[in-house]
Structure formats: C-alpha cells, structure tokens
Amino acid sequence: MTVQSAETAWERMLLEREIERFLYDEAAMLDERRFSDWGDLLAEDIHYHMPIRRNVKFGEQHRENTDTESEISWFDEGKRTLMGRVRQLNTGVHWPEEPFSRVRHIITNVRVLAVDGDEVEVSSNFFVWSNRLRDECVMFIGTRNDILRRDSETGWKIAKRLILLDQNVLLAKVFSTFF
Amino acid sequence: MVTYIKGRGDRNLRDLVDLETGVVSREVYVNEDIYAQELEQIYGRAWLLVGHESQVENPGDFVLGRMGEEEVILTRDRKGQIHVFLNTCRHRGMKVCRYDDGNALVFTCPFHAWTYDTDGRLVGVPHHHDAYFDELDKSQWGLAEVAQMCNYYGSIWATWDPKAPSFEDYLGPFKQTVRWAFQASDGTDAGVELYKPAQRWRLPSNWKFGAFSFAGDSAHAAMTHLSVNAAAIGPQGEVEGGGRHPLAAPFPSKRGYMSSRELGHVGQLAIYEQPGVADYRDTWLLEPGVDDYWRETREIKKQKFANEFLHMQSDGQFHIWPNATMSDWRILMWHPHGVGMTESWRQYQVDKNAPKHVKDAKRRYVMRYCGPAGITESDDMENWNYAHPASLGMVAQRYPYNFQLGLHHNHYDERIPGVTIGDRGPSEENQRARLRRWVEFMEAGSWDDIFPVRKNGKSNGKPRGGNGISSSW
Amino acid sequence: MTTEGGAPKSERKRVNTPDGMFIRDMPEGTKLELKNGDLVEVTLNARDGGWLVGRVVESERPESVGTEDWIFFAEVAAEIEA
C-alpha cells in the first residue's frame, strides 16, 4: 500500500479519532457478547490471521511468524468460518463459553499507518482478559495490523486482520473469543 | 518396582483400578505421587512418538520435540542420519537448543560454550587443552541420546529403555494401522509430510483425560460437540446438516472399538466385509478442484488394494500407548506437564505430492477443526479441564470414575487376531484397555514383566487367566 | 623467520584483534592467527558466536598442517589480512 498522508494534520487527527472509536466500539461488541453485531463488521473478503510465533535464530526473524501460504497458524480463515464461530457462540451449548466468560478487550497504541483511498492500515495493541467460572484467568497480549475499509452505506469494515499474540506455547486451553 | 502410593496409607495400585467391575479411583488421574511414578514407569520405558522425518528433511535440520516432561531435539546429522537427543548440556544442564526449529552445524551451549555436533558428539570444550589438560574424554560427554529410535514409514519414535522390544513388536496388531496413517491418499507408503509447525498449548488437566479418552469415547460426541454443526466446518459446508467430517461413500464394514488388551493400543476402526477401498465421494464442495485430486488418488489406491482387506487401516482413529492419538490426517500428542497439566500438541499430515490448492484446503480445514481454536476441539478442552479440579477433593475421591459402558460386551474376530472388539454401541472398552496397560506399566520392574505379556501378574488375590489376562475382563 | 618444525611463517598483517572481533558473521575463508601461533583458515562457521572450524595452514607442529578442528573464539589472537 502506498502511503498517502492526510492533507492536513486536522484531517489526520479526525481520521485517527474515527478509527479509534471504531476499534473501541468493536471491542465493546465482543465484551458485551454482541457477536452477531461484530460479525457485521467483517468485510466479505476478510482475512483473519493469527500466526504461531516461533523462537528462531538471530537473522531468521522472517520465519518468526508462521505464514498463511503454507504453514499452520492458530487462526487463518475468512468470513464463512468466522460467522460459523459466531453461530456456535450463540448456541448456548458451546461449553468453553457456556456460561459465558467475563472477557474484556483493552485496545491501545492505535496508530494509523497508511491511507489508501477507502482503506486505512491501522496498528493497535490488545490486552484481552478472560475470567471464567470461579477463578480461571487467562491473558492474551499482542498487537494487530488491520486493513479497515470505509463503506459509505454501512460504515467501517475489517478487510484484513493480522494478530500477533505474544506467546509461543499457548498458555490457555482454548481461544473462545475474537481478537 | 513401584506398586504403592503414598498418602492416607499405602495402597496397592490394583485397589484403585478394578476393570472387572469397571470402577477406577479418581486418584489414578489426580494423585501427585502416582504422577511422579508415571514419568519413570511409563515415559521412561515406552516407545513415544517424537516427530516425522519431513520436519528434518536436510542435514543439520532440527526441531524440538517432547518425551514425557522432557524436551528433546529431533535432528538429522551431516551424514543424513536422524537422531533424538535430550536437550540439555552434559556440563551444567543448560538447554543447548532454544530455537523451535532451524538448521544447525552444531548445538552450542550458551552457558560455557560446550558444543555438540548434530550427531551428538561433544566436539568443542573451551580450555580443553590449556585447563582440562586434554584429560577430558569428550567421547564420554556427548548429548544424551535415546536408547532406541525407529523411523516407521516416516514417523519417528523413540524410547529411553534399551530393553524395550522392537517398535514393530511394540505395535503388535496395530502395525498396519500406524503404517496406514503415514500413507499418501494413493496408498504410497511414507507418502505424507507434516504441516509446520506443531500447535502446542496447555490444558489444565491430567494427561490421561485426553490421552485415554480419544479413540475410545464416542459417547462424548453428542453432548460435547452439540454446538459444532451450527458452524458447518466440514469441507462440504452446510450440505447434509453441516457435519464436521468430510463426506464418505459407504463400504461394507463393521466399525467398532478395537483394542489390544496386552499392549494398550486402541482404535475406533473397521473390519471390512469385502476387499478393496471405498469409492471417493465428493466432499470439498467449497474448494474448487480439490475433489479432483482426492478422486484421482483414490482410484490409484483402489487399484493397489483391490484384493486386500484393509482391516483396521482405512478409516477411523487410533491411539498408540501411552500418549499418541492419530488418524490419517492428524496427530494428537498428550504430554504430561505436571499432575494437573497437559501440554497438548497437534500436527497434521498431508500428501507430500499434493498440489498447493489441495494442501491449502486441507490445512485450513484442520485449523478450524483442531487445536485450541478448533471449533470442534475447544469443546473437549472445557470438559477435560474441569473434570480434573472436580476430582481433587477429599470427598470427591471417595467416588470412583465409572468405566462400565459396554463392559463384558466384547468379542473377538479371527480376521484381526489379538484384538478385542466392542461393537454393540458405544463402549469404553478402549479406555479400559489403556487403564489395564497402565497398571501393568506402573507395576513392572522392567520390560521383562510387561512384554510380550505380563509374566507374573500380581493380581492382588483376584484370579487371572493363564496368559496374564482375566477372561472376564 | 623459520619455526622449529620447518615451514617458514608467512608475513601476517593483523587486521583485527580479539577486542574488536566478533566471529558470529565471519565468512568462510577468513584467515586467523591463534594464540598458539597457528595460522588457520575458516572453513565452517557455526554462526553461534562461539565456534568456527578452521584448517591449519601453518603451525609449529607440522603434522597438524592441513587438519581441521573446532576453534573457540577466545583461542583467536588476530584476524590476518587475506
């Protein structure tokens, strides 16, 4: 994507506020378990990718994150299966989320990296906390790189999301929320 | 020999496992002293699945693996020989490899720089001449290597026990079953590779909840996976109710719970009523061109095996004692990680020669099915997770687990000698078979006691058959 | 200048001494003088910061000339200009 700066600092600031607001609203949908609303934010052609993070030798950092072309990741899918996950969460019999966990998405360090027509590349960090049943606590910390696409009729859509979770062996038994 | 457990009076392990009535103490799963003994009695002795040759294709390639609680290095040396080493420096114990995978000339300890060739030899020790005075015998201080290793149709297995039987003998009636899991879809032996890397994650639960359930607990599926069809994750999408498994053409067979009581290997497999292989049924309806490949390879396989009965080797899933579950598309490892924790690993096979669009389609399917993000497997994790803490209590431990499903409703079939079959509905016979082997491993002083069959069973007063196995089990 | 064992020692121009030396990325073919006086040529680099394989080019022990062995970086006295 070519970088095209917003014409003025003012416009840039307005865009950043708009993007931040979008990401915070998105997080609230997940925390409030409005999964179907969240699904509506996904572009039809979304690529949702959470690679596995490898420990690699210095100089081989290009191999650190598993690639979507040939390797195994935690998540590597499109809208059809993401919506399948939404339907599963809404059955009431998906046991790792029945009863629902208390999940909170803390979204920070939001940076608009590039603007290209209707598409914006955005980086943000996340701290996702999940507290389940009596005392099960899980933390997921990492960063995301999104392509957000402006849809004049329905608002922003997530066209691409790369999620870098800062873990190697996953220290949680499941991923039962979205990032 | 380790027969007793501590705590609230010494008791014989056999008092905790009664397979004639199908009742097993919860302590078998949650007692810390029993767990500590498992590491030595089971993981120090059994053949364990370490990995696959496709993970170390070239000289110098390595990947970290696990045997029990301990980390090992699977590597191919400069001459092309595959090895399995314990990942620890012989000098002061530091890990000599802290990369998940890669290619190395040597494994160098970052502590004092002892360095080891990929064949395990200690080749470099600082100050060897000027301060060890050339008196350190490097040949005695190479990396600790497994006692035996076997490359079985591409899969790499190893044991720390030099007295363990050969791997083929260890497999017994499951020899062909494991072979099949590493065949390409056209029937070519050793025709698969593993996608990289393994998915690895922690499940707060004793390792046996997963390891002893899989390939032997179809009774769980209806309730545990009640939500899965809503997601329609199968390659056929929402066709026929959105099932999670690929569609398959019928083939005259009898499916059942098949176990080797003597060896502890089990499977949900089939006996075939006619030779050959089932027709291919189109199932990858959402992925153009993928069915074409599977249909073509199936035709080759059908010709290859037209006159063979592929009993126990053409469909289903199975478990090789103690902790490797697999089928022809996935490998599930249950590594002990403390009494109340399992490090669960998933790896997936695919035809080495499949075109990219086929590899891609299958890869995406396994990712949405399996692992901690798996739409199917995530339901299992919750159940295995909370069975553990709910079994810890002083009162809870007064109430044993029930393994009576299908008890005493087994039979034998001369077409698969040495295999017990439960095929009259769901059965926990495969779980009982693993618990039976578990007792024998835990009691054994050496391999002499447990192979080929237990010679001197301490039956704790209960009558046992002449072959060491009570006929009423 | 000749060594006790025979082969004349070449003129060695030191271009790098251990203080400034970092062998991790040193290319094969580099010439090194070791603290025992040997001149070696790097034939393999483990790229771990610690170890190289070197072939002995000159030595006071003529039988070692042509042999290869592992060299720990602390044994290196200097890098020699090619």
Side-chain angles (χ1 to χ4, degrees):
Chain A
M1 178 186 291
T2 55
V3 179
Q4 295 179 356
S5 301
E7 285 177 18
T8 67
W10 179 248
E11 284 180 14
R12 176 111 193 162
M13 200 172 81
L14 283 176
L15 177 66
E16 285 174 352
R17 273 301 290 124
E18 192 181 347
I19 296 295
E20 281 176 10
R21 179 59 192 256
F22 172 79
L23 294 176
Y24 298 158
D25 285 346
E26 183 207 355
M29 289 175 190
L30 293 174
D31 296 346
E32 293 162 12
R33 301 149 187 165
R34 293 185 281 126
F35 302 112
S36 299
D37 291 348
W38 180 80
D40 290 340
L41 302 181
L42 310 180
E44 294 304 311
D45 60 343
I46 184 174
H47 180 217
Y48 186 86
H49 184 207
M50 184 195 281
I52 293 172
R53 314 286 303 279
R54 280 196 186 88
N55 296 305
V56 295
K57 189 172 181 173
F58 182 87
E60 297 178 18
Q61 285 88 343
H62 61 280
R63 295 200 310 117
E64 183 173 1
N65 305 327
T66 56
D67 81 64
T68 183
E69 286 301 318
S70 64
E71 295 186 309
I72 294 290
S73 296
W74 295 124
F75 291 91
D76 188 357
E77 60 194 57
K79 184 159 185 175
R80 191 183 78 82
T81 47
L82 288 168
M83 294 311 290
R85 293 176 188 279
V86 167
R87 290 195 299 276
Q88 184 181 39
L89 282 163
N90 285 334
T91 59
V93 290
H94 178 40
W95 308 121
E97 284 299 323
E98 175 51 33
F100 278 131
S101 307
R102 288 160 288 277
V103 178
R104 197 66 58 197
H105 288 69
I106 315 289
I107 306 299
T108 73
N109 303 52
V110 178
R111 291 181 299 146
V112 174
L113 300 180
V115 181
D116 183 5
D118 288 333
E119 293 192 340
V120 180
E121 182 183 2
V122 184
S123 160
S124 58
N125 292 353
F126 61 85
F127 180 160
V128 177
W129 166 264
S130 173
N131 173 258
R132 170 151 196 74
L133 299 188
R134 295 198 314 181
D135 55 7
E136 181 181 346
C137 300
V138 181
M139 287 184 282
F140 302 100
I141 295 176
T143 192
R144 307 183 297 191
N145 186 281
D146 294 341
I147 302 292
L148 304 181
R149 187 182 297 147
R150 191 193 295 274
D151 182 315
S152 56
E153 310 224 326
T154 59
W156 291 96
K157 296 280 185 260
I158 306 165
K160 196 170 179 203
R161 173 159 288 174
L162 172 67
I163 305 149
L164 297 182
L165 178 70
D166 295 333
Q167 297 191 31
N168 177 253
V169 172
L170 178 70
L171 302 177
K173 70 174 192 261
V174 290
F175 291 109
S176 55
T177 185
F178 300 104
F179 296 87
Chain B
M1 188 172 303
V2 192
T3 312
Y4 295 92
I5 61 164
K6 296 174 197 154
R8 298 199 293 285
D10 286 349
R11 285 151 299 155
N12 191 304
L13 283 177
R14 288 198 171 242
D15 296 338
L16 305 180
V17 180
D18 186 344
L19 295 171
E20 298 191 31
T21 61
V23 168
V24 176
S25 167
R26 297 178 184 221
E27 287 192 73
V28 168
Y29 284 60
V30 303
N31 181 292
E32 289 185 17
D33 185 49
I34 288 178
Y35 173 77
Q37 295 178 42
E38 285 177 332
L39 296 179
E40 186 174 344
Q41 294 289 111
I42 298 173
Y43 286 93
R45 191 168 278 161
W47 280 95
L48 303 171
L49 177 61
V50 177
H52 189 267
E53 62 182 10
S54 63
Q55 295 174 284
V56 288
E57 269 184 308
N58 302 305
D61 282 356
F62 67 86
V63 62
L64 295 183
R66 248 184 105 128
M67 294 174 70
E69 282 195 344
E70 294 175 271
E71 193 167 80
V72 294
I73 307 169
L74 171 63
T75 186
R76 190 185 289 270
D77 70 25
R78 281 191 271 170
K79 291 177 183 155
Q81 175 66 42
I82 292 175
H83 300 268
V84 179
F85 302 114
L86 195 65
N87 187 10
T88 185
C89 183
R90 293 290 304 280
H91 176 236
R92 200 64 82 245
M94 173 61 181
K95 288 187 181 194
V96 296
C97 181
R98 293 167 303 134
Y99 310 119
D100 293 336
D101 54 36
N103 185 278
L105 192 60
V106 283
F107 299 109
T108 296
C109 180
F111 199 171
H112 305 87
W114 284 30
T115 193
Y116 304 85
D117 204 319
T118 45
D119 61 10
R121 285 178 304 124
L122 177 62
V123 293
V125 175
H127 305 295
H128 189 261
H129 180 67
D130 63 79
Y132 282 104
F133 307 105
D134 295 321
E135 291 163 1
L136 171 67
D137 182 358
K138 284 190 276 193
S139 72
Q140 297 301 304
W141 293 92
L143 289 175
E145 186 162 11
V146 292
Q148 300 184 60
M149 195 204 81
C150 179
N151 182 340
Y152 195 71
Y153 297 103
S155 58
I156 307 297
W157 303 74
T159 172
W160 294 111
D161 195 332
K163 293 172 80 178
S166 76
F167 183 61
E168 282 205 22
D169 287 346
Y170 180 87
L171 291 180
F174 282 75
K175 266 190 296 214
Q176 299 300 329
T177 316
V178 178
R179 176 183 176 181
W180 155 68
F182 296 96
Q183 271 173 358
S185 58
D186 66 2
T188 304
D189 274 327
V192 300
E193 62 187 17
L194 300 189
Y195 294 111
K196 296 167 187 171
Q199 294 174 320
R200 306 177 298 173
W201 79 102
R202 300 274 166 84
L203 168 66
S205 174
N206 185 266
W207 66 277
K208 294 189 290 300
F209 279 107
F212 285 15
S213 295
F214 239 94
D217 186 24
S218 64
H220 86 289
M223 189 62 176
T224 294
H225 300 307
L226 191 52
S227 68
V228 177
N229 283 9
I233 61 172
Q236 68 278 15
E238 299 185 0
V239 169
E240 294 188 16
R244 61 188 187 274
H245 299 294
L247 302 173
F251 194 70
S253 64
K254 197 149 200 205
R255 300 184 62 86
Y257 296 83
M258 301 180 182
S259 58
S260 165
R261 292 179 160 195
E262 294 189 350
L263 298 170
H265 313 312
V266 305
Q268 286 170 275
L269 299 161
I271 299 178
Y272 295 96
E273 304 297 347
Q274 69 178 56
V277 180
D279 289 333
Y280 185 74
R281 180 175 175 196
D282 283 8
T283 189
W284 296 80
L285 310 178
L286 305 171
E287 316 265 1
V290 173
D291 277 322
D292 297 339
Y293 174 79
W294 302 122
R295 209 181 306 111
E296 284 166 24
T297 57
R298 180 67 60 88
E299 283 307 314
I300 296 168
K301 184 171 181 176
K302 281 170 65 180
Q303 288 169 22
K304 196 174 282 182
F305 297 113
N307 301 314
E308 281 189 51
F309 287 90
L310 297 180
H311 305 314
M312 299 173 68
Q313 50 179 314
S314 193
D315 191 13
Q317 57 183 347
F318 59 97
H319 184 89
I320 299 304
W321 167 265
N323 71 332
T325 312
M326 60 187 75
S327 64
D328 64 348
W329 61 282
R330 60 174 173 167
I331 297 167
L332 309 90
M333 294 297 299
W334 316 94
H335 299 291
H337 196 86
V339 63
M341 188 68 82
T342 304
E343 192 169 291
S344 197
W345 288 31
R346 293 291 177 277
Q347 287 170 287
Y348 311 100
Q349 308 98 304
V350 66
D351 286 7
K352 249 184 254 184
N353 297 325
K356 184 174 187 307
H357 69 284
V358 171
K359 287 185 179 178
D360 286 349
K362 190 166 184 183
R363 186 166 53 93
R364 293 191 197 107
Y365 171 63
V366 301
M367 284 189 279
R368 65 183 183 256
Y369 189 109
C370 299
I375 288 170
T376 304
E377 282 211 82
S378 56
D379 282 315
D380 292 310
M381 300 306 140
E382 178 77 357
N383 288 333
W384 293 329
N385 181 176
Y386 282 102
H388 189 101
S391 298
L392 286 173
M394 175 269 293
V395 177
Q397 291 186 17
R398 294 175 186 162
Y399 296 89
Y401 296 137
N402 181 304
F403 285 90
Q404 294 175 334
L405 187 64
L407 185 68
H408 304 312
H409 291 277
N410 305 301
H411 63 97
Y412 300 92
D413 189 307
E414 61 188 15
R415 290 172 290 183
I416 48 171
V419 175
T420 304
I421 305 164
D423 58 4
R424 295 161 193 158
S427 169
E428 287 166 349
E429 182 60 24
N430 284 358
Q431 299 183 53
R432 291 188 290 271
R434 280 170 277 197
L435 287 159
R436 180 175 292 108
R437 195 57 169 158
W438 183 85
V439 172
E440 293 179 346
F441 261 71
M442 292 294 278
E443 287 185 340
S446 78
W447 265 103
D448 292 340
D449 295 331
I450 47 177
F451 190 85
V453 292
R454 186 177 170 77
K455 286 176 180 166
N456 55 349
K458 287 192 173 48
S459 61
N460 201 25
K462 291 167 189 161
R464 292 173 62 87
N467 63 352
I469 295 169
S470 164
S471 57
S472 65
W473 280 12
Chain C
M1 177 184 167
T2 56
T3 60
E4 216 176 321
K9 215 176 212 179
S10 58
E11 283 299 309
R12 297 176 183 174
K13 186 176 177 194
R14 297 180 170 207
V15 295
N16 210 346
T17 56
D19 290 342
M21 190 181 297
F22 190 62
I23 65 151
R24 187 187 182 280
D25 301 314
M26 187 170 274
E28 282 78 1
T30 304
K31 295 256 183 6
L32 300 173
E33 182 178 288
L34 304 187
K35 287 177 177 168
N36 68 7
D38 287 1
L39 179 70
V40 301
E41 180 180 335
V42 175
T43 55
L44 283 171
N45 186 345
R47 295 193 158 71
D48 58 20
W51 293 93
L52 303 161
V53 177
R55 188 177 63 245
V56 179
V57 178
E58 294 173 4
S59 174
E60 294 185 358
R61 293 162 289 112
E63 70 280 8
S64 69
V65 172
T67 63
E68 287 197 347
D69 202 357
W70 286 93
I71 299 163
F72 190 54
F73 77 95
E75 299 166 31
V76 176
E79 181 181 337
I80 302 300
E81 192 177 70

